[in-house]
Amino acid sequence: MAHVVQPLDQPSNYKDSQSRVERAKQNDLLSKSTTLYIGNLSFYTTEEQIYELFTKCASPEDGGGIKRIIMGLDRNTRTPCGFCFVEYYTHAEALASMKYVSGTKLDERIIRCDLDLGYKEGRQFGRGKSGGQVRDEHRQDYDPGRGGWGAQAQRLEAERRREVEERYADAQEGPGAVAGGGGDWKESETAVPSRKRGRSPDDEGDNVRMGHHRSRDDMEVERM
């Protein structure tokens, strides 16, 4: 059975793509590492949520605990982009997090934890062309927790919309366009017809008769 079930506290094939450390040296460093790389986070997950989850594997009574959390940021917007680093004080705490936290849900997403060689300034920024992570650069699915469509798909959609708007503008200003036609048509369609009835000869007769009645009333008042 030991050969069938993979231990949950063993590092995966994750490796910093920009690291120049040889594999043998890397394995030696990981065997003592107190830093975790956390992936597949929602863009909306906060540092407080991460602290609350990973502190469950901390051992302050043994001199451990979370040393710091470094949120991964979009290089251009400086907003969270779906990863972070968690530094513990002891290697045992990092292994415990890999065993008990990796593969669990945070903000309805299954997160991934891996031992890391150690955080260095600059690694908190995404390395994708658009500023975020490389995985979100080429993603073709819609992921509401990670900004919707992938960055490349969003750029293509923006270009398509711009082309449509330019074609529409050319059609409006081209040789076959009728200046002012649309506005006149809208005014005629939206105009509300008048409900007032025109005057008729019968209305004139009614007014004359009403005038006679008022004159008789006035005469009765004068007699009194």
Side-chain angles (χ1 to χ4, degrees), residues 13-77:
N13 292 325
Y14 160 76
K15 181 180 183 295
D16 179 12
S17 60
Q18 295 187 359
S19 174
R20 298 295 178 264
V21 180
E22 295 181 359
R23 193 68 186 183
K25 177 65 174 177
Q26 178 181 339
N27 291 337
D28 181 57
L29 293 173
L30 291 177
S31 67
K32 306 169 187 175
S33 175
T34 61
T35 302
L36 290 174
Y37 172 88
I38 316 300
N40 200 40
L41 292 173
S42 165
F43 287 5
Y44 306 102
T45 299
T46 64
E47 184 175 339
E48 288 75 16
Q49 289 175 281
I50 295 169
Y51 182 87
E52 182 180 359
L53 177 61
F54 283 87
T55 196
K56 298 180 185 300
C57 294
S59 304
E61 64 278 2
D62 296 329
I66 293 179
K67 185 177 182 180
R68 62 173 175 168
I69 296 173
I70 301 98
M71 298 296 291
L73 303 175
D74 185 291
R75 189 175 63 254
N76 299 325
T77 63

Side-chain angles (χ1 to χ4, degrees), residues 100-175:
Y100 300 115
V101 178
S102 185
T104 62
K105 279 190 175 183
L106 178 60
D107 269 351
E108 298 303 316
R109 301 184 68 85
I110 297 177
I111 61 173
R112 175 172 58 86
C113 308
D114 270 301
L115 287 174
D116 190 84
L117 295 177
Y119 170 76
K120 292 182 180 180
E121 185 61 32
R123 289 189 63 198
Q124 74 270 37
F125 299 123
R127 295 170 178 171
K129 185 183 296 184
S130 63
Q133 287 193 279
V134 175
R135 59 167 286 190
D136 291 312
E137 193 73 29
H138 307 287
R139 182 167 48 78
Q140 297 297 318
D141 62 323
Y142 183 84
D143 190 340
R146 295 182 70 91
W149 297 105
Q152 200 172 65
Q154 290 186 29
R155 282 197 299 271
L156 292 174
E157 177 62 16
E159 291 174 4
R160 187 191 68 80
R161 289 185 179 181
R162 186 167 57 251
E163 290 175 359
V164 171
E165 291 173 356
E166 289 174 355
R167 286 200 299 269
Y168 178 78
D170 292 341
Q172 291 292 96
E173 300 172 0

Side-chain angles (χ1 to χ4, degrees), residues 173-190:
E173 300 172 0
V178 179
D184 296 340
W185 177 81
K186 283 186 177 180
E187 289 179 5
S188 64
E189 286 292 318
T190 57

Side-chain angles (χ1 to χ4, degrees), residues 196-204 207:
K196 186 175 180 180
R197 184 172 61 85
R199 295 177 64 86
S200 68
D202 293 337
D203 294 334
E204 294 294 337
N207 288 338

